[in-house]
Amino acid sequence: KVLRVAIMGLGGYGTRVAEAMKACNKAKLVGVISGTPSKVKDWQAKYSIPETNCYHYENFDQVKNNPDIDAIYVTTPNALHHNQVIRIAKAGKHVICEKPMALNAREGQEMVNACKKANVKLLVGYRMHFEPRTLEVIRMRNAGDFGKIMFFQGQCGFKIGDPTQWRLNKALAGGGSMMDIGIYAINGARYMIGEEPVWVTAQETKTDPVKFKEGVDETIQFQLGFPGGAVASCLSSYNINHLDRFFMSGDKGFAEMQPSTGYGPIKGRTHQGELTQPITTHQTVQMDEMASIIFEGKKPVVAVDGEEGLRDLKIIDAIYEAVRTGKKIKLTA
Ligand code: NAD
């Protein structure tokens, strides 16, 4: 059974997902939701999408009556995810939502609730959870190869361009680098260490308050404490280049990856040698695996459901609170 997907938001990432899906065995692009008629025409021609599977932001609730679409993949700016995902759930379709799933944990919880109530699946576009070299490090950790994990370092960032883009607009982005790229360090700390953090401390550095306005974080350093004693030291930035690096140390070994979350190829090594697992197109594997999760109830090694998205949002809320108050914030499960 093939997962028939419509993409909502035909921008940079939506295009990347569409291209990657060409190589999928279990997922197929069959529809679009867009506010730009010219893009709809282009996509229809390029991907042979019938008129009956094309919607815009006012009428996409009608997808409810369309038996030819199974799931909608939301790749719009962050602030729109909450409302759009809830509308899709109400239309009875499965949802794949891009990260960050929402702007905060309250919104995230509402999305999880809405999808549960509508009996549809909510998945988050955590493509690294299907990346073979990442999965090998997780396998080694589970096998005890690193011993007791003591330290994780996640450095995620890049120098962002155009100051007028939505990513630098608090109303559409919900914040700054943390919402966009810092979330990879949070999520990475969790899947590399394999535990949920119990406290957060965080500090913000702002060197350009004109480009990075109130509520749009330029650079945040944050620390996470884990129940087993490990600590994570992370950096999220929109103003530092070449930050795409994970390092993890245990009492028997280490793993380091650079690039660690970029589109690839992911490169890395452990105390046992280079990571040599196959190089994949992340979104192709993700969409095939998500089809199996939705139709066959397959359980991925690292979760990609709404609850998983919500965990990252709770940590983001705590990081912003820690920045604001200067205090150590306790996290509860
Ligand atoms: P983008 O600006 O390239 O595309 C956003 C699309 O949303 C555009 O087509 C735009 O027209 C449309 N849109 C609809 N309503 C809009 C509105 N009110 N204001 C502005 N644009 C509107 O952005 P992108 O890079 O494709 O990012 C989209 C989402 O995907 C974000 O949530 C981002 O975090 C996520 N993303 C994830 C990855 C990943 O690797 N998983 C990579 C890039 C982006």
Side-chain angles (χ1 to χ4, degrees):
K1 196 168 170 188
V2 168
L3 183 72
R4 298 162 305 170
V5 180
I7 293 184
M8 174 181 289
L10 311 181
Y13 200 64
T15 302
R16 186 175 287 272
V17 170
E19 285 298 301
M21 277 174 71
K22 283 181 182 167
C24 282
N25 298 316
K26 297 182 177 176
K28 186 176 183 329
L29 174 65
V30 300
V32 290
I33 296 127
S34 167
T36 315
S38 59
K39 278 197 230 167
V40 173
K41 283 272 161 298
D42 289 351
W43 280 55
Q44 277 194 268
K46 202 164 174 199
Y47 301 105
S48 308
I49 294 171
E51 192 68 35
T52 47
N53 286 357
C54 298
Y55 297 88
H56 52 74
Y57 294 108
E58 282 73 45
N59 75 356
F60 73 79
D61 310 86
Q62 291 168 20
V63 74
K64 189 184 179 100
N65 306 313
N66 188 334
D68 299 328
I69 293 174
D70 301 307
I72 298 184
Y73 196 146
V74 177
T75 61
T76 53
N78 309 341
L80 308 179
H81 297 175
H82 172 251
N83 182 261
Q84 289 168 341
V85 166
I86 291 174
R87 279 174 66 187
I88 295 164
K90 285 185 176 156
K93 300 296 175 184
H94 300 298
V95 200
I96 303 166
C97 180
E98 256 317 311
K99 45 54 62 175
M101 188 171 90
L103 300 191
N104 52 54
R106 180 191 53 76
E107 283 190 0
Q109 186 68 61
E110 287 170 5
M111 294 153 78
V112 167
N113 295 350
C115 290
K116 210 173 272 173
K117 190 171 168 203
N119 199 24
V120 296
K121 290 248 166 51
L122 169 58
L123 305 180
V124 184
Y126 288 124
R127 57 187 164 75
M128 299 315 297
H129 296 198
F130 306 104
E131 194 283 316
R133 294 177 182 186
T134 302
L135 290 175
E136 170 61 8
V137 172
I138 292 169
R139 187 199 64 73
M140 287 177 66
R141 180 204 69 221
N142 287 337
D145 293 0
F146 303 118
K148 184 174 161 57
I149 306 293
M150 296 305 292
F151 181 68
F152 171 83
Q153 189 172 42
Q155 301 170 333
C156 299
F158 60 95
K159 230 174 154 72
I160 195 161
D162 178 12
T164 66
Q165 64 186 290
W166 69 261
R167 282 184 163 79
L168 296 174
N169 173 348
K170 159 112 174 138
L172 282 170
S177 73
M178 184 58 61
M179 301 302 288
D180 187 31
I181 190 78
I183 191 171
Y184 284 97
I186 297 171
N187 194 252
R190 293 178 45 243
Y191 65 65
M192 294 279 283
I193 295 173
E195 294 176 17
E196 295 303 325
V198 289
W199 59 258
V200 172
T201 49
Q203 309 81 35
E204 181 174 8
T205 306
K206 195 172 281 204
T207 65
D208 187 347
V210 176
K211 186 168 182 180
F212 304 101
K213 300 200 169 46
E214 183 64 33
V216 179
D217 47 285
E218 175 187 319
T219 298
I220 292 180
Q221 312 90 255
F222 61 96
Q223 302 77 37
L224 304 172
F226 290 81
V231 71
S233 169
C234 302
L235 184 61
S236 164
S237 183
Y238 263 166
N239 208 16
I240 307 173
N241 268 334
H242 316 299
L243 291 184
D244 186 355
R245 182 172 181 271
F246 283 178
F247 175 75
M248 183 164 76
S249 180
D251 59 10
K252 289 189 187 153
F254 71 90
E256 62 182 358
M257 306 170 95
Q258 184 179 20
S260 55
T261 67
Y263 296 135
I266 301 303
K267 290 188 185 144
R269 63 191 182 108
T270 72
H271 58 291
Q272 295 176 353
E274 295 293 315
L275 291 167
T276 54
Q277 288 64 34
I279 289 164
T280 58
T281 300
H282 300 173
Q283 297 82 3
T284 305
V285 182
Q286 174 200 324
M287 292 309 291
D288 272 340
E289 288 293 314
M290 284 186 167
S292 298
I293 292 168
I294 288 173
F295 287 142
E296 297 151 31
K298 184 171 174 181
K299 291 254 179 294
V301 174
V302 188
V304 289
D305 57 9
E307 300 284 350
E308 171 75 8
L310 185 54
R311 281 187 200 106
D312 284 342
L313 293 176
K314 285 181 180 166
I315 298 168
I316 289 176
D317 285 354
I319 288 171
Y320 283 138
E321 189 186 341
V323 164
R324 218 170 34 243
T325 62
K327 294 198 168 119
K328 183 173 186 173
I329 308 297
K330 284 209 163 68
L331 291 162
T332 45

